[in-house]
């Protein structure tokens, strides 16, 4: 009888120990998964919330000159300032050698020229430093052709650096929105006329031939995934 009781006690102790181990491992996996989701998707949520807040407050960015509001601001009450329409914030391009500014999205990034899209190592490295211009496509100074730029809307910003999410809000662009490219100290204004989603391996957008200067932007869609590609097409207007 004592042996039976001992066996039962031993079994119960081991069962409890096993249960504690399994519970600890399970809880660790759950906590780890939650932390990963927060780290991975948190920046995307933050970008979306910031964009919606700017829309709600009417905060906009512009490359055009804005009138100084210092005198008006000094006379207005705090409550009046909160209710008033904010003056568009003036943006200076990060450089005038080759850069892109999308005022609606608050995008202001350098462009890395002549990047080989067929070389994963090359374009991943290039995208750490900004938006990439696909090798073999037109540059803004050419009178005709497709200037093809691509960039991240990625989750793993810890690998790709500060430009990992430069095109996260690209899906907010609509027909009529302005995209500005600076190239060799000249400014080129484009206006969006087409927005589409293509499959991951569809290379049609980069192979399109135009008899006018066209700008094509590409990023992953939905943001943070590689399921599809979002394509924004714009034509030169100035």
């Amino acid at each position: 009888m004592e042996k039976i009781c001992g066996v039962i006690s031993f079994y119960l102790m081991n069962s409890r120990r096993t249960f504690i181990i399994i519970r600890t491992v399970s809880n660790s996996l759950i906590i780890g998964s939650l932390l990963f989701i927060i780290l991975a998707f948190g920046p995307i949520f933050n970008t979306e919330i910031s964009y919606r807040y700017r829309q709600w407050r009417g905060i906009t960015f512009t490359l055009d000159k804005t009138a100084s509001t210092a005198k008006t601001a000094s006379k207005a009450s705090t409550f009046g300032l909160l209710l008033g329409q904010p003056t568009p914030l003036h943006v200076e391009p990060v450089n005038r050698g080759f850069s892109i500014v999308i005022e609606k999205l608050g995008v202001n990034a350098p462009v890395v020229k002549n990047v080989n899209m067929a070389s994963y190592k090359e374009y991943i490295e290039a995208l750490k430093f900004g938006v990439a211009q696909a090798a073999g496509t037109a540059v803004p100074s050419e009178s005709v052709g497709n200037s093809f730029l691509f960039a991240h809307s990625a989750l793993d910003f810890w690998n790709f650096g500060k430009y990992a999410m430069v095109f996260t809000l690209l899906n907010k662009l609509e027909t009529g929105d302005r995209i500005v490219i600076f190239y060799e100290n000249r400014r080129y204004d484009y206006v969006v006329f087409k927005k589409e989603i293509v499959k991951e391996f569809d290379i049609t957008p980069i192979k399109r031939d135009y008899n006018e200067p066209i700008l094509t932007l590409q990023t992953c869609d939905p943001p943070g995934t590689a399921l599809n590609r979002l394509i924004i097409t714009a034509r030169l207007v100035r």
Side-chain angles (χ1 to χ4, degrees), residues 127-130 151-168 219 224:
L127 291 176
K128 293 178 182 178
F129 301 97
H152 284 307
S153 62
L155 296 178
D156 45 349
F157 58 90
W158 49 86
N159 286 329
F160 298 137
K162 67 178 182 177
Y163 295 112
M165 296 171 55
V166 67
F167 275 1
T168 297
T219 194

Side-chain angles (χ1 to χ4, degrees), residues 30-163:
I30 292 171
I31 293 171
S33 298
L34 289 174
L35 286 175
F36 173 78
I37 291 172
I38 291 171
L39 287 172
F41 289 92
I44 290 180
F45 293 148
N46 182 61
T47 301
E48 181 72 26
I49 291 170
S50 297
Y51 174 77
R52 291 183 179 275
Y53 173 76
R54 292 198 303 269
Q55 280 197 316
W56 174 69
R57 285 286 291 117
I59 299 172
T60 57
F61 301 97
T62 181
L63 285 161
D64 303 324
K65 292 182 178 180
T66 59
S68 173
T69 57
K71 293 182 180 179
T72 305
S74 64
K75 295 179 181 179
S77 66
T78 302
F79 185 67
L81 289 174
L82 288 173
L83 291 178
Q85 184 75 10
T87 299
L89 302 176
H90 180 66
V91 176
E92 281 293 329
V94 291
N95 69 61
R96 292 178 180 272
F98 205 175
S99 64
I100 178 171
V101 176
I102 308 176
E103 297 147 307
K104 181 178 180 178
L105 309 182
V107 169
N108 186 6
V111 177
V112 181
K113 188 177 180 181
N114 203 33
V115 177
N116 183 4
M117 289 189 73
S119 171
Y120 177 82
K121 183 178 180 181
E122 182 177 332
Y123 74 69
I124 285 296
E125 184 63 25
L127 291 176
K128 293 178 182 178
F129 301 97
V131 176
Q133 180 244 346
T137 67
V139 293
S141 60
E142 296 180 29
S143 58
V144 298
N146 183 16
S147 183
F148 195 92
L149 308 185
F150 60 102
H152 284 307
S153 62
L155 296 178
D156 45 349
F157 58 90
W158 49 86
N159 286 329
F160 298 137
K162 67 178 182 177
Y163 295 112

Side-chain angles (χ1 to χ4, degrees), residues 100-105 169-180 188-196 213-217 230-237:
I100 178 171
V101 176
I102 308 176
E103 297 147 307
K104 181 178 180 178
L105 309 182
L169 295 174
L170 202 63
N171 58 4
K172 306 297 184 186
L173 288 180
E174 301 293 344
T175 300
D177 287 334
R178 181 167 71 174
I179 302 168
V180 181
Y188 299 84
D189 287 21
Y190 297 82
V191 170
V192 175
F193 70 88
K194 188 175 183 180
K195 177 180 179 180
E196 60 187 316
I214 293 293
L215 174 69
T216 302
L217 307 182
L230 170 65
I231 306 296
I232 300 292
T233 314
R235 60 170 43 94
L236 185 68
V237 295

